[in-house]
């Protein structure tokens, strides 16, 4: 752990990190308690006084240096992520690239935090609005994007002038440690960024109770997000919550079916289906269901599962056995209610997978709304196919979920593309686009998928306060 510019090698306990591909121990990390979290908050609070006063260009220069070192250590970051959470190396390399993009983009954006001047009714008044950093930020991140979820929070925070205490997920502390080594190497002053791994409840409680922590930025499950929101009420904390999703993926009969199949295969099976934006409900219009399913099965059957470090692997293991059990439960429940397995549908049987947490890439047909998979997030490599008749019907079905993160649809009809995009109740809509995310765009959900944005100039606002200054001139 890294507190006030110093590494803590020994904590009250340790986390043992295992490679989900084979169960081998790949690292051990010190776990700290409430006292160290409070120490980190104090350090961040003290550092805020100087970091927030630096000219934006100086903060940017530190961040450019971070981006440069990350580029030099790209392969190291990618391999570490794969080792601890399993995703295929090609996916992990893509993640590291976007993680660097966040640092670079916000290094640039930090220099463009403009205010406003507002004309008033009174001739003797001058009114302006300035933007200032909110203060110390508590950031809690998940394991499924072990590198980019950290830089997606830290980059706008640092650029805005905030200081940060990060708690990474217990299943991916090694990537976090590596990122903090890079911060140290880049010369980020002591206390500006702090890393604490500990009991999730204890750490978050210390953050929520502290009046010095002005904002919480959380990415993870809706269940935990709700708890944090309730816990933050006492100190009226500003909250950004990036929570779970249940994305619809709609294929209209006028769509380019090959494009729609490719989009689904890359979006659904990336990271073994463990992404918040991955497709949970595939709706295919009746007249093209057979052609679509045939093409999909062909592509999914060709996916190779294996150790993420093996260059031939397309789909790595799930993060742990609990993840495998969830996919298994969803498939069993669906099949017992009439769904048909078109491909996959079980753990791989070959001996080389025996010690890992693998599940075969799976496609289910004849899925309906009575099945668990139609309303619970699977977080695994299972694509369930529903059919629909009309545009009106599918929009209603797609919106029938408490989640509102990502949604996708495929069509070649221009009018339909606008009509449907406007009616989908999700923070992100991909039209013929299964990967609509870059550092420059506002990523975030609505409904129970959370609030706040990450990415783009919108993401910067999350770390700023607006202050009205009214000056009455003397006669
Ligand atoms: P999770 O259980 O909510 O864990 C996420 C983080 O919260 C981890 O650091 C975890 O720490 C911590 N945590 C767990 N229980 C907590 C508690 N009671 N109080 C405070 N913190 C707590 O989520 P997950 O299963 O690891 O991640 C998958 C979920 O994240 C999915 O629902 C996915 O959709 C969502 N997600 C959303 C986005 C987005 O941008 N919207 C992106 C990625 C993932 P420990 O690891 O120490 O338990």
């Amino acid at each position: 752990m890294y507190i006030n510019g110093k590494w803590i090698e020994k904590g009250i306990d340790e986390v043992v990190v295992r490679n989900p591909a084979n169960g081998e121990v790949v690292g051990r990390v010190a776990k700290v308690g409430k006292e160290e979290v409070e120490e980190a908050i104090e350090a961040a609070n003290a550092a805020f006084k100087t970091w927030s006063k630096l000219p934006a260009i100086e903060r940017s220069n530190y961040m450019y240096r971070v981006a440069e070192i990350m580029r030099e250590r790209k392969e190291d970051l990618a391999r570490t992520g794969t080792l601890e959470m399993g995703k295929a190396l090609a996916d992990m390399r893509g993640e590291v690239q976007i993680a660097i993009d966040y640092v670079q983009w916000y290094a640039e954006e930090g220099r463009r935090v403009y205010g406003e001047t507002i004309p008033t009714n009174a001739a003797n008044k001058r009114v302006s609005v300035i933007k200032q950093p909110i203060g110390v930020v508590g950031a809690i991140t998940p394991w499924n994007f072990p590198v980019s979820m950290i830089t997606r929070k830290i980059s706008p925070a640092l650029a805005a002038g905030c200081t940060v205490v990060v708690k990474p997920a217990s299943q991916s502390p090694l990537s976090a440690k590596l990122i903090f080594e890079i911060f140290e190497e880049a010369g980020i002053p002591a206390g500006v960024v702090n890393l604490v791994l500990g009991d999730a409840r204890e750490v978050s409680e210390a953050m929520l109770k502290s009046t010095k922590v002005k904002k919480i930025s959380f990415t993870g499950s809706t269940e935990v997000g709700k708890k944090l929101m309730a816990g933050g009420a006492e100190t009226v904390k500003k909250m950004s919550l990036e929570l779970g999703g249940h994305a619809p993926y709609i294929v209209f009969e006028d769509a380019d079916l090959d494009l729609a199949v490719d989009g689904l295969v890359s979006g659904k099976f990336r990271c073994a289906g463990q992404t918040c934006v991955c497709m949970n409900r595939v709706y295919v219009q009746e007249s093209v269901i057979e052609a679509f399913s045939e093409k999909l099965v062909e592509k999914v059957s060709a996916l190779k599962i294996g150790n993420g470090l093996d260059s031939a692997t397309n789909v790595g293991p799930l993060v742990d056995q609990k993840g495998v059990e969830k996919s298994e439960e969803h498939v069993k429940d669906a099949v017992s209610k009439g769904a048909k397995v078109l491909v996959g549908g079980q753990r791989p049987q070959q001996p080389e997978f025996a010690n890992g947490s693998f599940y075969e890439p799976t496609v289910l047909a004849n899925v309906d709304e009575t099945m668990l998979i139609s309303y619970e997030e699977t977080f695994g490599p299972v694509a369930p196919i529903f059919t629909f008749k009309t545009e009106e019907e599918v929009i209603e079905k797609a919106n029938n979920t408490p989640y509102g993160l990502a949604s996708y649809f495929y069509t070649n009809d221009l009018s339909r593309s606008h009509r449907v995009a406007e009616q989908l109740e999700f923070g992100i809509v991909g039209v013929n686009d299964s990967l609509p995310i870059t550092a420059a765009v506002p990523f975030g959900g609505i409904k129970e998928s959370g609030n706040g944005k990450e990415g783009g100039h919108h993401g910067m606002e999350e770390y700023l306060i607006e202050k009205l200054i009214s000056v009455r001139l003397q006669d």
Side-chain angles (χ1 to χ4, degrees):
M1 300 296 96
Y2 188 71
I3 299 174
N4 204 15
K6 290 196 182 71
W7 288 98
I8 296 179
E9 303 295 344
K10 262 209 161 114
I12 51 166
D13 197 357
E14 65 172 15
V15 175
V16 178
V17 189
R18 289 178 187 277
N19 180 349
N22 51 27
E24 281 170 11
V25 174
V26 289
R28 293 171 193 275
V29 177
K31 216 170 157 179
V32 297
K34 186 169 163 256
E35 232 169 74
E36 287 82 4
V37 181
E38 284 169 353
E39 207 182 298
I41 294 171
E42 281 301 331
N45 194 46
F48 179 70
K49 293 180 180 60
T50 44
W51 182 254
S52 60
K53 299 284 182 322
L54 284 183
I57 180 74
E58 286 187 34
R59 290 195 295 263
S60 291
N61 287 339
Y62 282 111
M63 293 174 68
Y64 285 129
R65 179 78 188 119
V66 170
E68 197 181 308
I69 306 171
M70 283 181 80
R71 271 190 287 271
E72 286 162 14
R73 300 187 66 180
K74 200 171 164 185
E75 196 57 18
D76 202 4
L77 282 161
R79 293 182 80 82
T80 303
T82 293
L83 267 180
E84 66 181 348
M85 59 71 63
K87 97 169 58 158
L89 198 52
D91 287 346
M92 201 54 231
R93 288 187 181 124
E95 183 194 333
V96 174
Q97 185 53 55
I98 195 165
I100 298 169
D101 291 348
Y102 281 116
V103 181
Q104 178 86 23
W105 203 88
Y106 280 107
E108 289 154 8
E109 189 63 9
R111 299 159 64 185
R112 299 184 197 112
V113 177
Y114 305 134
E116 260 182 288
T117 56
I118 300 175
T120 66
N121 294 340
N124 66 342
K125 284 196 184 185
R126 300 291 180 270
V127 174
S128 58
V129 176
I130 60 165
K131 292 185 181 181
Q132 293 180 302
I134 190 165
V136 176
V137 175
I140 303 175
T141 58
W143 48 264
N144 63 341
F145 288 93
V147 178
S148 65
M149 290 300 113
I150 294 180
T151 64
R152 193 164 84 173
K153 295 184 188 312
I154 282 192
S155 306
L158 294 191
C162 297
T163 54
V164 193
V165 179
V166 180
K167 191 211 94 61
S170 308
Q171 280 154 314
S172 61
L174 302 178
S175 302
K177 187 168 171 251
L178 201 46
I179 298 170
F180 272 71
E181 282 173 18
I182 292 170
F183 289 146
E184 187 186 29
E185 196 182 329
I188 303 264
V192 172
V193 285
N194 303 275
L195 179 67
V196 290
L197 180 65
D199 175 77
R201 273 183 218 168
E202 201 174 80
V203 175
S204 62
E205 201 177 288
M207 289 177 175
L208 290 168
K209 286 223 160 109
S210 168
T211 51
K212 290 180 177 138
V213 176
K214 298 296 193 296
K215 179 191 168 71
I216 298 287
S217 177
F218 170 73
T219 297
S221 60
T222 294
E223 188 194 345
V224 172
K226 286 180 182 177
K227 286 186 191 155
L228 293 175
M229 201 168 182
E234 206 181 318
T235 50
V236 195
K237 290 244 192 296
K238 185 167 174 174
M239 292 267 168
S240 296
L241 302 171
E242 296 288 352
L243 310 178
H246 208 274
Y249 190 89
I250 305 167
V251 182
F252 288 102
E253 58 195 357
D254 57 48
D256 176 334
L257 291 191
D258 292 310
L259 192 72
V261 166
D262 287 346
L264 180 59
V265 172
S266 67
K268 176 74 228 185
F269 299 102
R270 186 167 57 106
C271 194
Q274 304 165 111
T275 74
C276 52
V277 291
C278 87
M279 301 78 187
N280 282 268
R281 291 169 290 148
V282 183
Y283 295 104
V284 183
Q285 202 154 12
E286 247 176 16
S287 58
V288 291
I289 185 77
E290 269 179 40
F292 180 85
S293 307
E294 209 172 289
K295 287 172 188 282
L296 181 64
V297 167
E298 192 189 326
K299 288 268 160 94
V300 175
S301 311
L303 291 174
K304 191 174 175 325
I305 56 173
N307 187 324
L309 289 182
D310 180 345
S311 60
T313 296
N314 306 115
V315 183
L318 282 95
V319 75
D320 55 23
Q321 288 299 333
K322 254 172 68 188
V324 179
E325 284 158 19
K326 183 96 186 264
S327 290
E328 217 164 40
E329 183 196 0
H330 278 189
V331 171
K332 275 191 186 147
D333 170 79
V335 169
S336 75
K337 292 172 181 161
K340 190 171 163 220
V341 176
L342 297 186
V343 56
Q346 59 175 359
R347 297 174 190 231
Q349 304 299 309
Q350 298 90 322
E352 70 260 35
F353 299 117
N355 296 325
S357 39
F358 290 93
Y359 196 79
E360 288 183 350
T362 298
V363 178
L364 296 177
N366 299 341
V367 180
D368 68 37
E369 282 72 27
T370 63
M371 302 169 187
L372 269 181
I373 200 163
S374 72
Y375 51 90
E376 264 186 17
E377 202 179 9
T378 310
F379 236 54
V382 185
I385 305 181
F386 304 70
T387 52
F388 70 94
K389 287 192 171 70
T390 66
E391 182 180 306
E392 201 184 11
E393 173 201 351
V394 78
I395 290 171
E396 198 187 320
K397 285 185 169 171
N399 287 339
N400 188 17
T401 168
Y403 295 109
L405 185 55
S407 58
Y408 311 85
F409 66 95
Y410 281 68
T411 181
N412 275 329
D413 178 332
L414 179 65
S415 303
R416 172 175 272 161
S417 74
H418 286 280
R419 211 166 46 225
V420 175
E422 284 162 18
Q423 290 181 81
L424 285 172
E425 295 165 359
F426 295 82
I428 300 164
V429 183
V431 186
N432 297 333
D433 183 4
S434 70
L435 195 61
I437 322 246
T438 68
V441 302
F443 180 101
I446 56 173
K447 294 161 75 179
E448 292 189 20
S449 288
N451 54 44
K453 298 289 178 195
E454 291 191 321
H457 66 87
H458 318 76
M460 193 81 177
E461 299 300 325
E462 303 286 328
Y463 296 91
L464 295 166
I465 55 155
E466 288 179 331
K467 186 182 283 176
L468 162 70
I469 302 177
S470 177
V471 179
R472 188 177 179 282
L473 307 184
Q474 303 280 15
D475 291 335

